[in-house]
Amino acid sequence: MSISLADLFRQNSDLEVFCQEVRKLGGDFDLDSRQMEALGQAYFELHPEKFVKRDLDEVRLGYQLARCCLLEKALAGLPAAVKDFFRRAFDQPESIAGLLDDYQRSGDLPLLVSSFSRLQASLDELKAAIDELPKGMIKERFLGGISTLYNTRYLLSIFISRLNLNSLQD
């Protein structure tokens, strides 16, 4: 069995390093509600929640931590080129139109469309796991993380559907 994300975070608490390590796992890690709770506990060991004078940077860090793990898990099993496209799209949602134009010129559009469908289903499964978490700060961090992914997913859906329609008319 691979290392848990909670243990990986305890070993690599710098978010950038942690996310690089998570990416190396290729989605081969558990991320059910129990694992989310363990990761959240590891996060709060380092960044205890303050109810007075909250540190908003630490809150955003928690969202980024969740987003990194959720995205990599959702990308599991997708082809490398498609993973790279989605990572860039989720990292820079304002660039989606340009990224899609570039991908359309050099990539396999049907593969992107089918991969996007798989990605959406994976995100929905992860959201269901988040919904199982008890109310509290851990659930809040994961909801904050996935909400950003859902917003970008919505933008991707709009742009991909337009691109797909245009390619069918050619």
Side-chain angles (χ1 to χ4, degrees):
M1 171 137 179
S2 65
I3 189 170
S4 75
L5 292 180
D7 290 338
L8 188 63
F9 182 73
R10 286 183 181 104
Q11 294 171 8
N12 303 284
S13 60
D14 177 87
L15 184 62
E16 190 172 320
V17 173
F18 172 77
C19 287
Q20 289 171 358
E21 293 299 316
V22 170
R23 185 178 287 183
K24 288 178 188 176
L25 297 174
D28 187 21
F29 54 85
D30 292 329
L31 194 59
D32 58 14
S33 59
R34 203 179 77 238
Q35 294 296 321
M36 289 178 192
E37 194 158 352
L39 178 58
Q41 288 171 352
Y43 166 80
F44 283 116
E45 288 167 10
L46 188 61
H47 303 285
E49 182 62 19
K50 302 170 191 90
F51 295 101
V52 178
K53 295 184 182 180
R54 292 182 82 189
D55 184 339
L56 294 180
D57 288 334
E58 287 182 357
V59 172
R60 285 189 278 278
L61 184 71
Y63 294 159
Q64 289 176 295
L65 174 79
R67 194 168 44 248
C68 163
C69 297
L70 293 165
L71 181 59
E72 288 305 314
K73 187 62 177 176
L75 293 173
L78 297 180
V82 174
K83 280 184 181 183
D84 184 53
F85 167 83
F86 286 124
R87 283 183 186 122
R88 289 185 294 155
F90 280 97
D91 201 35
Q92 304 166 359
E94 69 281 359
S95 303
I96 290 174
L99 290 170
L100 275 171
D101 287 344
D102 292 346
Y103 189 89
Q104 185 178 24
R105 283 191 288 279
S106 64
D108 179 355
L109 193 56
L111 176 64
L112 180 73
V113 171
S114 65
S115 296
F116 182 60
S117 293
R118 287 178 51 197
L119 174 67
Q120 291 186 91
S122 294
L123 287 172
D124 289 341
E125 288 174 17
L126 291 165
K127 172 64 169 72
I130 293 168
D131 289 342
E132 293 174 8
L133 290 168
K135 289 181 182 178
M137 298 315 301
I138 294 172
K139 183 173 189 169
E140 187 271 334
R141 294 303 191 276
F142 276 96
L143 285 172
I146 203 161
S147 67
T148 303
L149 295 177
Y150 267 43
N151 290 340
T152 303
R153 178 178 97 165
Y154 175 73
L155 293 173
L156 280 164
S157 177
I158 290 170
F159 282 103
I160 288 173
S161 68
R162 288 179 186 165
L163 205 58
N164 195 23
L165 290 173
N166 291 339
S167 69
L168 293 175
Q169 294 171 354
D170 290 342

